[in-house]
């Protein structure tokens, strides 16, 4: 049985080519596209190359990190060709994108904008480089009336789901989000959480990723590598089904 893997980077905008090579070395058919140019705004879920992988493989998995995990979870929920999802540093909600002071939906499906949690624009970071985990928590409180509509409908996904997060993630509270997802959708869901890890797990054979917006991401080199070592065999198991 062949497995195609759609590998989705986060908001750094840089494809995870080193990670793609590791998965290819394990025998997987991997696509690692750059899935947005400058803004994560009104991106059609249909624009991801799920069809290409489905045409030449028996099984399709989507592996995403951060905003890429948001996309991966949505593809699992909305595209029934997806058999497995791996969400690294995931979110349980769909979030806005801010450009020129305007908040816009990040995603569309079949021409319709999907709901989102708007950011609390009054929030200010208290540290330098900034940690944004407080922004996400505060925005969920301020927009509590919109949060349920913007929750990723993971219960629609019938496949295998692996979630991995660091308790010290300072970008957004991914460990909390992973637990919320598992509470809604416990069947065929595995959650791996590491206390010392931050936002960017590092798999065996990888170098820590750099680039992207300057911000605090939490964790440490050893903590992020430890999470990667923990997750790697579970990831391969999930891809294999």
């Amino acid at each position: 049985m062949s497995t195609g893997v759609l590998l989705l980077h986060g908001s750094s905008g840089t494809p995870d080519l080193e990670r793609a090579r590791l998965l290819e070395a394990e025998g997987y058919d991997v696509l690692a596209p750059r899935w947005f140019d400058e803004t994560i705004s009104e991106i059609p879920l249909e624009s991801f190359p799920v069809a290409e992988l489905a045409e030449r493989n028996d099984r399709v998995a989507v592996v995403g990190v951060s905003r890429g995990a948001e996309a991966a979870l949505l593809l699992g929920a909305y595209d029934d060709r997806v058999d497995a999802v791996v969400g690294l540093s995931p979110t349980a909600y769909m979030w806005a994108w801010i450009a020129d002071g305007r908040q816009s939906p990040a995603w569309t499906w079949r021409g319709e904008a999907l709901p989102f949690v708007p950011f609390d624009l009054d929030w200010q970071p208290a540290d330098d480089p900034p940690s944004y985990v407080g922004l996400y928590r505060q925005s969920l409180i301020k927009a509590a009336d919109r949060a349920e509509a913007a929750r990723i409908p993971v219960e629609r996904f019938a496949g295998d789901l692996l979630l991995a997060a660091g308790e010290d993630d300072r970008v957004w509270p991914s460990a909390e989000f992973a637990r919320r997802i598992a509470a809604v959708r416990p069947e065929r869901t595995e959650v791996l959480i590491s206390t010392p890890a931050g936002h960017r797990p590092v798999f065996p054979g990888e170098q820590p990723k750099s680039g992207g917006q300057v911000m605090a991401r939490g964790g440490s080199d050893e903590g992020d590598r430890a999470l990667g070592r923990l997750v790697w065999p579970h990831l391969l198991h999930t891809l294999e089904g």
Side-chain angles (χ1 to χ4, degrees):
M1 176 181 288
S2 63
T3 300
V5 177
L6 178 59
L7 184 63
L8 302 179
H9 59 77
S11 59
S12 70
T14 304
D16 291 315
L17 299 182
E18 187 176 40
R19 187 165 292 176
R21 287 191 289 269
L22 291 175
L23 291 169
E24 287 170 344
E26 296 288 338
Y28 297 108
D29 176 13
V30 183
L31 292 178
R34 182 179 181 184
W35 54 268
F36 74 94
D37 291 324
E38 296 181 357
T39 62
I40 305 175
S41 178
E42 299 185 17
I43 295 176
L45 293 177
E46 299 93 330
S47 66
F48 291 92
V50 174
E52 182 179 347
L53 288 170
E55 285 173 4
R56 62 184 191 231
N57 292 283
D58 304 303
R59 181 175 168 84
V60 174
V62 187
V63 179
V65 61
S66 192
R67 293 299 296 242
E70 185 178 341
L73 289 162
L74 286 166
L75 287 169
Y78 285 97
D79 192 326
D80 59 14
R81 295 169 296 188
V82 176
D83 301 289
V85 169
V86 178
L88 307 172
S89 304
T91 173
Y93 302 90
M94 294 174 273
W95 294 92
W97 185 263
I98 304 174
D100 299 323
R102 187 178 75 89
Q103 303 204 51
S104 61
W107 316 103
T108 69
W109 173 248
R110 294 178 177 172
E112 296 293 328
L114 295 179
F116 60 88
V117 179
F119 292 108
D120 180 359
L121 299 182
D122 295 326
W123 179 90
Q124 294 294 325
D127 44 9
D128 184 24
S131 165
Y132 289 99
V133 66
L135 170 62
Y136 287 91
R137 289 181 174 135
Q138 180 59 34
S139 297
L140 280 170
I141 293 171
K142 189 168 183 178
D145 58 330
R146 300 178 61 171
E148 179 57 29
R151 184 181 60 80
I152 298 173
V154 290
E155 64 275 10
R156 295 175 50 156
F157 177 48
D160 301 311
L161 177 58
L162 172 64
L163 304 170
E167 202 76 72
D168 191 41
D169 189 339
R170 297 181 191 176
V171 176
W172 60 19
S174 58
E176 295 174 21
F177 289 152
R179 294 186 186 100
R180 291 185 193 187
I181 292 169
V184 171
R185 199 259 193 198
E187 302 82 8
R188 297 178 71 177
T189 299
E190 183 177 15
V191 178
L192 301 173
I193 293 174
S194 174
T195 299
H199 191 68
R200 288 176 166 174
V202 180
F203 292 127
E206 284 185 328
Q207 293 302 312
K209 191 168 183 178
S210 59
Q213 183 180 345
V214 175
M215 66 175 75
R217 292 181 171 86
S220 65
D221 181 68
E222 178 51 35
D224 297 344
R225 288 182 184 277
L227 177 57
R229 290 193 298 270
L230 172 66
V231 172
W232 184 247
H234 295 263
L235 182 151
L236 297 180
H237 180 76
T238 301
L239 298 186
E240 203 62 34

